[in-house]
């Protein structure tokens, strides 16, 4: 965006000169001496005269101040600049500021003497005037041009002699997460030394700030490279302070410190990187004043396998540094491929050369070695057949997917790199776009990279946007190798595919993109919308996705009335902002406008393009954003300016699609809804819960048996052992706590960890604690117990009900429910613990064992002991009459076990169970003794009673 504001003002001269001017002049004169001292070089008169002459002919910048407020990734930035004309006649002053290309300017004000001019955002006419057309055709000068990811704002005014001008620029942006960090950048390029230079950044993240860092200043050639070589300390005079949720960073270099960095006043980019606390959950949903924004960036997920085709330009224009750096980057990228990935390489010029014909090869040491040889031998020659190369790559990937029955839960992609425009074969951009879209058919994503000034970046940008990818553009003089590697790092680790985010249709409206084909490690998915029903207490959120062999469902209810959490009034450092207080609404408007611009860029229908333009323009005007369809006009405050007093240029639309989210997505198709969850599994009484208290239900006998186990802290009890037949083992580890003073026990024990192992049809295990669940079936995934979620694979399903229970279903024939017991203020004898319940045991064999498993397929008889030696079997209808009789007896596998009648409460005390209680650590009730059920470690599997194995 090049926004040039020209205002010529004739003011009366003023004899006075502010103290700030004298100070600025003194500082600059003092610098001459500083130069001599630091360099130990004698001052030469011609050089001094030249400097003083330049000092007289341009206004001096006495102040450059940047203040930014970042609230939940949404950044408000204000740049203030004061220029002083101490000369004897009016001088031109140029205010120039590089801003992120993704940002929207929201306000601009100029004060010259006692007059103030403010910027008014108005709609751009559909058909520009001839002057505008001529202006747009004029190629930008190097200082006016676009740098990688940045655009230049310029304003020029004439300052009367002995007066000053003050510029105030406001812009807003939504920070994008890349490589696991948010990066906020301020360009500090005043182009002269400044008497008072200050940058202040305040950050508020209610999720908690982590990994806050301020690297050294970055010059233009390093832009886009997230890695810093050598010194990693903050710039001089930087002060960093933060609490759990608040951070304040200031940069306030003196003139001498500025001189040591850069004498020409081009200091570079001041950068802040940070991340927030997160976990595998539905994400961070923030609601304020009827709007919501939803950030989703799960962690601790195993990578998805990739099928990737690299399509590389080897035309004559790639000769020299560009091809050399491309090769260096590809060598590193190939080394980073994972064993489960498959790949191929295509080089193209006027001819198209495929490394491995009609196939993708697995990642092996030999294949990586041969691929590096192929890349090393690539030589630049010929023209640029972009269409043919993409058609070849798409056919190669489509055929591989079809012929090899590729699992839908892998990620297929093409990475395309070029430095030029199409010169061979099909050269019309519209045909190339259409052919590419028809070839890919939404089956995989295309990522494009352009190098240098000759590349057709609009073509690459639209190809990526139309095919769910991203694009990057690097300048020819930049470090292309590190840029390429950095871009690959962003997309090289896919964690989820087919991500869909749903909200109740009768609760929300105008929701931004809610379906995303892929989620890459280190990135973030962002959705925003408006609430329809503001009186509702909560907003239900569901996220569905696929991860390798698993299907994941995450859900939660977010409280809508959260003024204390999301209202920023009274937060230190954030008092000055006005729009800041509606940051969620402005984030929604920002995303919506970006989405409209993106949709218009992809559309070929003129009526649709006009509709999208008008919609984007209307919203931009409502929120005072400068966009490709709005312009900034300068008017004098308090005066209705005439047309002659207004001069404005519209921002360039080049590359606008690149400013969208780092992860492109779509609206989910209407009418497609996730299947309803299965009805909640009914839990049986057979369980081990509490201290721990065991209950075994015998439905056919219409009674239950219960017993206690007084174990030792740290013991691991085998609850279910059926490793040999069904492949299932359940072990529970005990944790100790003091016994109540009035009790007879020396201590209490509870289950702190439940481990479930299954080796059929494939090995997997679950480790459950009151706080988190680890699922590992060759790929490890971490779930939090305080977030509802569902993870499904072909033979296993784990369903988490937040802070309540975890249901584990194995092959649809075995189900366990683990209750979560957590205390806000536990007594001295209480501990957070788990309860284990068997819901469905049909899939367990008759040989299953363990403290609970041994009773699942055996019957127990209840006897009454009389005065004679014979025993009388008790009928089912006589059970009630026997309750008070202390001589009731159970017959278990030929053993007689005395029992008494008791009542037990299970399910967190919600249900009362009548049971026959066996004393003395279940003596004679269970096979063997308590010690026979103590496993050596959590993954110990017993194939039969008395024998133990490790998986």
């Amino acid at each position: 965006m090049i926004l040039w504001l020209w205002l010529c003002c004739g003011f009366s001269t003023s004899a006075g000169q502010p103290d700030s001017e004298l100070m600025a002049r003194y500082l600059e004169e003092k610098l001459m001496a500083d130069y001599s001292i630091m360099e130990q070089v004698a001052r030469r008169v011609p050089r001094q005269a030249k400097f003083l002459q330049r000092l007289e002919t341009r206004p001096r910048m006495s102040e450059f101040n940047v203040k930014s407020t970042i609230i939940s990734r949404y950044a408000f930035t204000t740049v203030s600049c004061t220029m002083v004309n101490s000369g004897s006649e009016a001088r031109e002053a140029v205010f120039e500021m590089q801003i992120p290309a993704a940002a929207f300017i929201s306000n601009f004000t100029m004060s010259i003497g006692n007059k103030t001019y403010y910027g008014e955002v108005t709609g751009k006419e559909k058909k520009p005037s001839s002057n505008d057309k001529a202006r747009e055709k004029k190629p930008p000068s190097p200082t006016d041009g676009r740098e990688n990811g940045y655009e230049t704002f310029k304003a020029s005014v004439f300052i009367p002699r002995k007066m000053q001008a003050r510029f105030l620029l406001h812009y807003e942006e939504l920070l994008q997460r890349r490589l696991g960090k948010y990066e906020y950048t301020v360009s500090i390029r005043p182009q002269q030394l400044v008497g008072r230079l200050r940058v202040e950044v305040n950050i508020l993240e209610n999720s908690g700030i982590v990994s806050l860092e301020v690297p050294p200043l970055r010059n233009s050639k390093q832009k886009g490279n997230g890695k810093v070589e050598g010194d990693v300390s903050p710039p001089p005079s930087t002060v960093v302070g933060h609490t759990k949720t608040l951070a304040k960073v200031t940069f306030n270099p003196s003139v001498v410190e500025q001189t040591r960095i850069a004498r020409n006043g081009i200091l570079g980019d001041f950068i802040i990187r940070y991340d927030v606390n997160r976990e595998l959950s539905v994400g961070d949903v923030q609601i304020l004043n009827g709007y919501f924004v939803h950030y989703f960036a799960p962690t601790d997920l195993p990578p998805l396998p990739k099928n990737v085709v690299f399509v590389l330009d080897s035309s004559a224009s790639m000769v020299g540094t560009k091809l050399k750096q491309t090769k260096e980057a590809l060598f590193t990228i190939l080394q980073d491929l994972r064993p489960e990935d498959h790949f191929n390489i295509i080089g193209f010029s006027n001819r198209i050369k495929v490394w491995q014909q009609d196939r993708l090869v697995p990642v092996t040491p030999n294949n990586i070695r041969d691929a590096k040889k192929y890349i090393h031998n690539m030589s630049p020659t010929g023209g640029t057949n972009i269409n043919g190369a993409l058609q070849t790559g798409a056919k190669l990937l489509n055929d591989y997917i079809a012929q090899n029955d590729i699992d839908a839960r892998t990620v297929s992609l093409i990475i395309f790199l070029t430095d030029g425009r199409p010169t061979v074969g099909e050269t019309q951009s519209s045909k190339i776009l259409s052919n590419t879209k028809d070839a890919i058919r939404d089956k995989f994503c295309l990522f494009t990279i352009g190098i240098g000034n000759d590349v057709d970046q609009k073509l690459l940008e639209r190809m990526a946007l139309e095919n769910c990818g991203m694009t990057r553009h690097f300048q020819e003089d930049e470090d292309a190798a590190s840029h390429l590697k950095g871009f690959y790092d962003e997309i090289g680790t896919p964690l989820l595919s087919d991500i869909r985010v749903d909200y109740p249709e009768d609760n929300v409206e105008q929701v931004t993109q809610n379906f995303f084909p892929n989620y890459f490690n280190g990135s973030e998915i962002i959705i925003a919308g408006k609430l329809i029903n503001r009186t509702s207490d909560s907003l239900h959120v569901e996220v569905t996705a696929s991860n390798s062999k698993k299907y994941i469902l995450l859900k939660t209810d977010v409280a809508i009335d959260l003024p204390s959490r999301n209202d920023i009034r009274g937060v230190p450092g954030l008092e000055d902002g006005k729009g800041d207080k509606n940051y969620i609404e402005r984030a929604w408007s920002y995303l919506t406008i970006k989405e409209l611009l993106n949709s218009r860029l992809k559309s070929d229908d003129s009526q649709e393009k006009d509709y999208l333009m008008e919609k984007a323009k209307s919203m931009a005007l409502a929120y005072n954003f400068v966009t490709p369809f709005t312009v900034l006009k300068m008017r004098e405050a308090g005066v209705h300016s005439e047309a002659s007093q207004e001069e404005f240029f519209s921002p360039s639309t080049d590359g606008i699609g690149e400013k969208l989210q780092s992860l492109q997505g779509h609206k989910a198709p209407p009418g497609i809804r996730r299947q309803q969850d299965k009805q909640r599994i009914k839990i049986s009484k057979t369980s081990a819960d509490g201290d721990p208290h065991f209950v075994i239900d015998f439905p056919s006998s219409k009674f239950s048996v219960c017993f206690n186990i007084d174990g030792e802290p740290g013991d691991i009890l085998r609850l279910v052992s059926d490793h040999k037949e069904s492949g299932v083992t359940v072990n529970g580890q005990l944790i100790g706590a003091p016994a109540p003073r009035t009790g007879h026990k020396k201590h209490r024990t509870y289950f702190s960890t439940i481990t479930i192992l299954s080796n059929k049809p494939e090995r997997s295990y679950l480790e459950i604690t009151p706080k988190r669940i680890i699922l590992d079936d060759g790929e490890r995934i971490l779930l939090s117990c305080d977030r509802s979620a569902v993870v499904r694979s072909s033979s296993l399903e784990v369903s988490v009900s937040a802070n309540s229970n975890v249901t584990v279903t194995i092959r649809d024939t075995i189900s366990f429910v683990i209750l979560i017991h957590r205390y806000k203020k536990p007594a001295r004898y209480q501990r957070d613990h788990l309860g284990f319940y068997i819901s469905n045991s049909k899939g367990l064999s008759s040989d299953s064992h363990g403290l609970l498993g041994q009773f699942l397929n055996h019957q127990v008889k209840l006897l009454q002991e009389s005065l004679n030696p014979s025993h009388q079997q008790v009928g089912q209808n006589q059970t009630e009459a026997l309750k008070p009789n202390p001589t009731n007896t159970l017959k278990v596998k030929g053993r007689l076990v005395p029992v008494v009648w008791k009542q037990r409460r299970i399910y967190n005390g919600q249900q009362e169970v009548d049971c026959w209680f066996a004393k003395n650590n279940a003596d004679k009730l269970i096979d063997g003794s308590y010690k026979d059920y103590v496993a050596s470690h959590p993954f110990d599997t017993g194939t039969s009673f008395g024998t133990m194995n490790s998986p």
Side-chain angles (χ1 to χ4, degrees), residues 590-644:
Y590 175 98
L591 281 174
T592 302
I593 294 172
K594 292 288 187 182
E595 182 178 311
L596 291 169
L597 297 176
N598 180 26
S599 299
R600 184 179 185 275
L601 187 66
K602 294 190 294 183
S603 176
D604 291 319
D605 184 273
S606 59
Q607 289 186 345
E608 182 184 28
K609 290 172 80 75
D610 288 344
Y611 167 76
L612 293 169
M613 180 187 71
E614 290 301 322
K615 194 172 180 181
K617 182 195 297 184
S618 175
M619 181 166 283
L621 291 174
Y623 289 91
N624 216 58
F625 286 147
V626 178
T627 70
F629 311 127
T630 54
V631 293
L632 191 64
K633 298 181 179 181
M634 299 306 297
R635 300 183 185 275
E636 185 176 349
V639 178
H640 295 289
S641 300
E642 298 178 359
S644 60

Side-chain angles (χ1 to χ4, degrees), residues 691-692 694 708-717 734-736 745-750 921 930-931 934:
D691 187 12
F694 290 75
N708 294 345
I709 292 293
D710 296 328
E712 294 295 326
D715 283 353
I716 301 169
L717 305 184
L734 298 177
I735 187 175
K745 295 183 179 181
K746 60 180 181 180
H747 57 246
R748 284 187 168 187
T749 53
Y750 304 93
N921 253 14
Y930 160 79
K931 290 295 184 182
V934 177

Side-chain angles (χ1 to χ4, degrees), residues 345-347 353-355 370-378:
I345 302 167
I346 296 174
K353 300 178 182 179
V354 182
W355 172 48
D370 294 345
K372 288 182 177 180
K373 288 181 181 178
Y374 174 79
I375 293 172
H376 176 75
N377 293 327
M378 289 176 65

Side-chain angles (χ1 to χ4, degrees), residues 256-307:
V256 173
E257 288 171 325
Q258 294 174 47
T259 306
R260 291 168 180 165
I261 298 171
R263 297 179 191 172
N264 59 4
I266 303 177
L267 304 187
D269 294 324
F270 184 75
I271 304 166
I272 297 173
R273 298 192 187 107
Y274 73 95
D275 199 13
V276 299
N277 287 315
R278 65 184 80 248
E279 58 190 12
L280 180 59
S281 69
V282 76
D284 180 15
V285 182
Q286 301 190 17
I287 301 172
L288 185 66
N289 297 334
Y291 293 84
F292 74 89
V293 62
H294 182 180
Y295 302 98
F296 180 66
T299 57
D300 297 317
L301 290 167
L304 289 168
K306 297 190 300 295
N307 310 308

Side-chain angles (χ1 to χ4, degrees), residues 184-227:
Y184 175 77
T185 303
V186 175
S187 174
I188 307 177
R189 292 171 170 81
Q191 302 186 46
Q192 56 180 285
L193 300 172
V194 183
R196 295 187 298 275
L197 190 154
R198 178 179 174 84
V199 177
E200 178 182 322
V201 181
N202 295 283
I203 305 172
L204 171 62
E205 295 286 352
N206 284 319
S207 300
I209 299 171
V210 297
S211 305
L212 179 66
E213 61 183 45
V214 183
L217 292 168
R218 181 175 62 189
N219 62 43
S220 59
K221 290 188 177 183
Q222 294 172 313
K223 280 189 175 180
N225 181 9
K227 296 181 180 179

Side-chain angles (χ1 to χ4, degrees), residues 24-35 43 255-256:
R25 172 163 239 151
Y26 166 77
L27 289 171
E28 290 201 35
E29 291 173 350
K30 183 177 184 297
L31 275 173
M32 297 299 299
D34 291 334
Y35 289 162
R43 186 184 302 173
V255 176
V256 173

Side-chain angles (χ1 to χ4, degrees), residues 133-421:
K133 288 180 179 179
R135 206 179 284 138
E136 289 174 358
K137 290 179 180 178
K138 181 182 177 181
S141 65
T143 57
D144 298 342
R146 169 194 306 276
E147 290 195 37
N148 182 28
Y150 292 82
E151 293 171 343
T152 301
F153 175 94
K154 282 189 178 182
S156 175
V157 299
F158 274 83
I159 306 176
R161 67 185 188 91
K162 308 299 182 182
M163 298 192 74
Q164 66 179 22
R166 186 168 184 261
F167 304 90
L168 201 62
L169 174 67
H170 301 263
Y171 62 88
E172 302 174 22
E173 62 180 312
L174 183 62
L175 302 185
Q176 300 298 310
R177 189 170 183 256
R178 292 179 178 172
L179 302 177
K181 295 285 183 66
Y182 302 100
E183 182 172 291
Y184 175 77
T185 303
V186 175
S187 174
I188 307 177
R189 292 171 170 81
Q191 302 186 46
Q192 56 180 285
L193 300 172
V194 183
R196 295 187 298 275
L197 190 154
R198 178 179 174 84
V199 177
E200 178 182 322
V201 181
N202 295 283
I203 305 172
L204 171 62
E205 295 286 352
N206 284 319
S207 300
I209 299 171
V210 297
S211 305
L212 179 66
E213 61 183 45
V214 183
L217 292 168
R218 181 175 62 189
N219 62 43
S220 59
K221 290 188 177 183
Q222 294 172 313
K223 280 189 175 180
N225 181 9
K227 296 181 180 179
V228 178
E229 301 293 338
D231 183 23
V232 294
S233 58
S237 80
T238 300
V239 178
V240 181
H242 69 94
T243 63
K244 183 179 179 181
T245 59
L246 282 168
K248 182 175 182 179
V249 181
T250 58
F251 174 57
N252 189 20
S254 66
V255 176
V256 173
E257 288 171 325
Q258 294 174 47
T259 306
R260 291 168 180 165
I261 298 171
R263 297 179 191 172
N264 59 4
I266 303 177
L267 304 187
D269 294 324
F270 184 75
I271 304 166
I272 297 173
R273 298 192 187 107
Y274 73 95
D275 199 13
V276 299
N277 287 315
R278 65 184 80 248
E279 58 190 12
L280 180 59
S281 69
V282 76
D284 180 15
V285 182
Q286 301 190 17
I287 301 172
L288 185 66
N289 297 334
Y291 293 84
F292 74 89
V293 62
H294 182 180
Y295 302 98
F296 180 66
T299 57
D300 297 317
L301 290 167
L304 289 168
K306 297 190 300 295
N307 310 308
V308 56
V309 176
F310 299 96
V311 183
L312 309 175
D313 189 344
S314 60
S315 61
S317 59
M318 288 286 288
V319 68
T321 304
K322 284 185 284 189
L323 187 58
K324 178 184 177 182
Q325 291 187 332
T326 299
K327 290 180 178 181
E328 291 175 0
L330 260 294
F331 291 158
T332 306
I333 289 171
L334 290 174
Q335 208 63 45
D336 288 346
L337 291 173
R338 296 181 177 84
E340 62 271 19
D341 295 339
H342 291 75
F343 73 105
N344 203 341
I345 302 167
I346 296 174
F348 74 94
S349 53
N350 56 328
R351 298 175 57 193
I352 299 167
K353 300 178 182 179
V354 182
W355 172 48
Q356 296 289 336
Q357 289 293 332
D358 302 325
R359 64 184 182 134
L360 269 67
V361 299
V363 175
T364 64
N366 289 340
N367 285 338
I368 295 297
R369 179 199 62 204
D370 294 345
K372 288 182 177 180
K373 288 181 181 178
Y374 174 79
I375 293 172
H376 176 75
N377 293 327
M378 289 176 65
S379 58
T381 181
T384 308
N385 188 353
I386 290 178
N387 184 72
L390 286 170
Q391 293 297 304
T392 303
K395 184 178 185 304
L396 183 67
L397 202 48
N398 273 316
D399 290 347
Y400 177 77
I401 293 172
Q403 294 170 7
N404 293 274
D405 190 25
I406 299 300
D407 192 318
R409 292 167 187 168
T410 64
V411 170
S412 299
L413 50 94
I414 291 177
I415 298 178
F416 177 84
L417 181 146
T418 184
D419 75 328
R421 299 172 181 270

